[in-house]
Amino acid sequence: MASVCVVGAGVVGLTTATLLQEALPDTASVTLIADKFKKDTTSDGAAGIFRPGLQFQGSSAQVTRQWLRDSYGYFHDISTSEEASTAGVKPISGFILSSKNPSITRNPLLEPLVPEYRMCTDQELQLFDYKYGCYFTTLMTECRRFLPYLTDQFSSRGGRVIERHLESLEQLAGHFDVVCNCTGYGARDLCADLSVTPIRGQVFKVRAPWIKNFMYEDYDTYIVPGFDYVTLGGTRQFDSHSLEIDKYDSMAIWDRCVRLVPSLKDAEVIQEWVGWRPYRPVVRVEKEVMAFDSGKTLKVVHNYGHGGYGVMASPGTSMHAVRLVQEMLDVPRAKL
Ligand SMILES: Cc1cc2nc3c(=O)[nH]c(=O)nc-3n(C[C@H](O)[C@H](O)[C@H](O)COP(=O)(O)OP(=O)(O)OC[C@H]3O[C@@H](n4cnc5c(N)ncnc54)[C@H](O)[C@@H]3O)c2cc1C
């Protein structure tokens, strides 16, 4: 029996770990190692909407589209299953609006995937008082449900979980046949990969059950209703290393969201939250045989750098990572 280790218990690590169990039920045991779990991960605070930004990139346009197709299919299957609510996955419709930027109305990465994508009607634009806009139906995944769902699935299939901080991936050499590196921003240190950069995001989580549709204004102002709360955002501050709540960001986010949907002024604030989107110009999904000064080597499959799109894209990049693990273990590829 081969032994595979997944480092990282965010959405990318947990998706990879459960897909590995599905693909290698009789050929590998899977261990998950991380220093943070559930509410302490970046994944926990994400709005979780399936809306790829046009800067989301794999190693080629074809790879990117494959990841997105696989991811949408994965979440679509959950959303139509009995487990949808437990897993925190549901369809959602809404608007992206702008007064200045007509290009926000098109999204060639998303349009082929979703069941409905159209320009706003004149009546809708008049109602909201914007010049440009589009309306579509997509999926959203609330990680506060999805991470526990995946964790339960992983444990019930015999997966082993270890809480541990790694100073180096070398610590795993000699213990596992292959390691999947799903450490998000942590990969900057573990792989000395300086192209991983935080994009700081601050949000409110509020109770406002009357909000049923998502609303974006020029991307930076957004209102995304989940199962248990609505996420109000946000900020996208490149290379900003603060994890403190910034009171000026709070005021600006609140003001912009209430201007977009005035009834939000009555929403009860549950939490304010800050996280770093682990941005890398090209999301890294690839094999590497790491060689250390000690003479030790380690087979690694990287799966990190998803930026602002790690929830929605995790199944597609993780299926890719699983195929690379199968290649490194030299076992036949099971169909996922
Ligand atoms: C405000 C905001 C809104 C967002 N909205 C969306 C959205 O609507 N849709 C979307 O798809 N995405 C969204 N994102 C992006 C999404 O949150 C990230 O892309 C995703 O969470 C990255 O997941 P991850 O598993 O790679 O990283 P993380 O969730 O950060 O997990 C990393 C894991 O690696 C472990 N780790 C790291 N280093 C080490 C180490 N040295 N030793 C041991 N363990 C280690 C950590 O403990 C953790 O378990 C948003 C992000 C923010 C900040």
Side-chain angles (χ1 to χ4, degrees):
M1 176 83 105
S3 65
V4 180
C5 175
V6 175
V7 187
V11 67
V12 176
L14 281 167
T15 310
T16 303
T18 48
L19 289 173
L20 275 167
Q21 288 176 317
E22 252 174 63
L24 303 166
D26 305 315
T27 40
S29 65
V30 186
T31 301
L32 186 83
I33 296 182
D35 59 4
K36 291 189 183 133
F37 294 85
K38 294 178 185 160
K39 68 175 180 31
D40 297 321
T41 63
T42 309
S43 305
D44 180 75
I49 195 160
F50 198 105
R51 185 199 63 80
L54 300 185
Q55 73 279 22
F56 177 74
Q57 269 189 56
S59 57
S60 70
Q62 201 188 352
V63 166
T64 311
R65 285 186 188 277
Q66 182 69 45
W67 288 348
L68 295 176
R69 260 196 310 276
D70 287 345
S71 297
Y72 196 86
Y74 172 98
F75 285 123
H76 178 265
D77 287 350
I78 297 182
S79 75
T80 51
S81 77
E82 280 181 358
E83 298 187 320
S85 160
T86 313
V89 184
K90 66 174 183 181
I92 188 170
S93 302
F95 296 89
I96 296 187
L97 301 161
S98 178
S99 292
K100 301 177 205 86
N101 182 7
S103 70
I104 58 109
T105 58
R106 303 314 304 245
N107 188 325
L109 293 177
L110 185 63
E111 287 173 46
L113 297 175
V114 294
E116 184 178 16
Y117 193 110
R118 62 167 176 79
M119 297 305 109
C120 284
T121 61
D122 288 343
Q123 210 179 8
E124 285 165 344
L125 290 174
Q126 264 172 23
L127 179 72
F128 297 127
D129 199 18
Y130 283 88
K131 217 164 154 189
Y132 311 105
C134 60
Y135 173 91
F136 57 90
T137 299
T138 184
L139 296 166
M140 75 84 57
T141 302
E142 191 160 300
C143 275
R144 288 180 187 184
R145 292 187 180 206
F146 191 53
L147 299 189
Y149 164 79
L150 292 178
T151 307
D152 288 350
Q153 204 173 69
F154 180 72
S155 300
S156 69
R157 291 175 183 164
R160 191 162 61 115
V161 178
I162 298 174
E163 185 176 343
R164 177 180 176 191
H165 175 75
L166 296 176
E167 295 298 335
S168 162
L169 290 175
E170 184 178 0
Q171 292 168 270
L172 304 177
H175 298 287
F176 297 99
D177 296 305
V178 179
V179 167
C180 283
N181 172 27
C182 307
T183 50
Y185 183 74
R188 187 181 162 98
D189 287 337
L190 282 176
C191 305
D193 183 346
L194 299 184
S195 68
V196 182
T197 310
I199 301 182
R200 180 182 176 280
Q202 180 169 324
V203 294
F204 284 93
K205 303 284 181 186
V206 303
R207 217 179 302 279
W210 61 91
I211 304 288
K212 304 293 183 204
N213 295 116
F214 67 80
M215 300 280 275
Y216 278 77
E217 186 203 45
D218 286 315
Y219 299 143
D220 280 344
T221 303
Y222 55 87
I223 297 163
V224 179
F227 284 79
D228 304 315
Y229 52 78
V230 183
T231 302
L232 309 184
T235 65
R236 288 172 212 268
Q237 295 152 347
F238 191 77
D239 209 10
S240 170
H241 290 248
S242 166
L243 280 175
E244 301 296 308
I245 305 293
D246 180 286
K247 69 174 180 181
Y248 300 104
D249 285 340
S250 302
M251 285 191 281
I253 294 165
W254 190 261
D255 187 56
R256 284 187 272 126
C257 288
V258 170
R259 226 171 337 123
L260 189 56
V261 177
S263 66
L264 281 170
K265 70 179 186 341
D266 298 321
E268 176 197 349
V269 175
I270 302 170
Q271 186 191 13
E272 288 192 72
W273 183 86
V274 176
W276 294 346
R277 301 171 180 91
Y279 173 76
R280 190 174 189 272
V282 175
V283 180
R284 188 175 187 197
V285 180
E286 64 186 17
K287 296 186 280 188
E288 182 183 16
V289 179
M290 295 181 91
F292 303 100
D293 290 344
S294 59
K296 290 180 185 166
T297 59
L298 182 66
K299 289 181 181 174
V300 178
V301 172
H302 299 287
N303 185 7
Y304 67 84
H306 298 65
Y309 308 104
V311 179
M312 49 150 277
S314 56
T317 68
S318 301
M319 287 178 202
H320 187 168
V322 169
R323 289 191 289 272
L324 298 182
V325 171
Q326 288 172 319
E327 283 174 23
M328 284 194 127
L329 289 175
D330 204 16
V331 293
R333 281 187 184 182
K335 196 163 161 39
L336 286 171

